[in-house]
Amino acid sequence: MKQVIIQITSGRGPIECSRVVARLQEKIMADAKKKGISIQVISSEKGDLNGTLLSSLLLAEAEDPDAFLRQWQGTVQWIAQSPYRKFCKRKNWFAGISATDVQASRQWQEKDVVFETCRSSGPGGQHVNKTETAVRGIHKPTGLQVVASDSRSQRQNKQLCLQRLKEKFVMAQSQLLVAQQQEQWQEHNVLKRGEAVMVIREPL
């Protein structure tokens, strides 16, 4: 499976552009789910008003998301009257969309996880500390660890541990990519408004 981080930005545009970012986030997620692409919001920066976003980061996962990404990548022109400024004559608002592949070395692989059993701790009556049902999962390449002790079944705890460790791994890698690409994303502060890849006209 290929993992891709999608960034939507208002490029320091006015509040109407921040509204466009929020609307595009909804549209991209709906389109991805319709096409069977796993997608989730990993972070977003809220705008000054409710329903607005300065930027948004999505994580998409699919066997081949390239065709889907080509449809959205670039500058989007959104045509609508301003809902915030009654006498504003401007109707064209812009937002930028870019995508970055998560490097293969950072892909999640279950084979990189080792498990250790340990005794559950805390209240739990006569069953506590008699058997090693808790499971600690360790992701060897990153050193991330998670302990699961929800169930008395070691097998169930192992599955929970794997699930939580994957979530922790994805979040950590996403945050790392964001940090590494901060300078790149400064380029989005100046959107190429004359080269829109998509034009969306909002119904009156």
Side-chain angles (χ1 to χ4, degrees), residues 22-72:
R23 297 295 301 276
L24 285 174
Q25 176 183 281
E26 295 173 358
K27 283 185 171 291
I28 290 173
M29 293 188 71
D31 189 31
K33 290 175 181 177
K34 183 179 179 181
K35 294 175 179 176
I37 296 173
S38 173
I39 193 166
Q40 61 178 310
V41 179
I42 54 176
S43 70
S44 60
E45 184 179 358
K46 292 184 179 180
D48 294 332
L49 299 177
N50 288 336
T52 65
L53 294 172
L54 296 176
S55 64
S56 173
L57 287 175
L58 311 175
L59 179 67
E61 186 173 5
E63 289 290 346
D64 184 13
D66 293 344
F68 170 76
L69 294 172
R70 280 195 297 270
Q71 175 188 353
W72 291 101

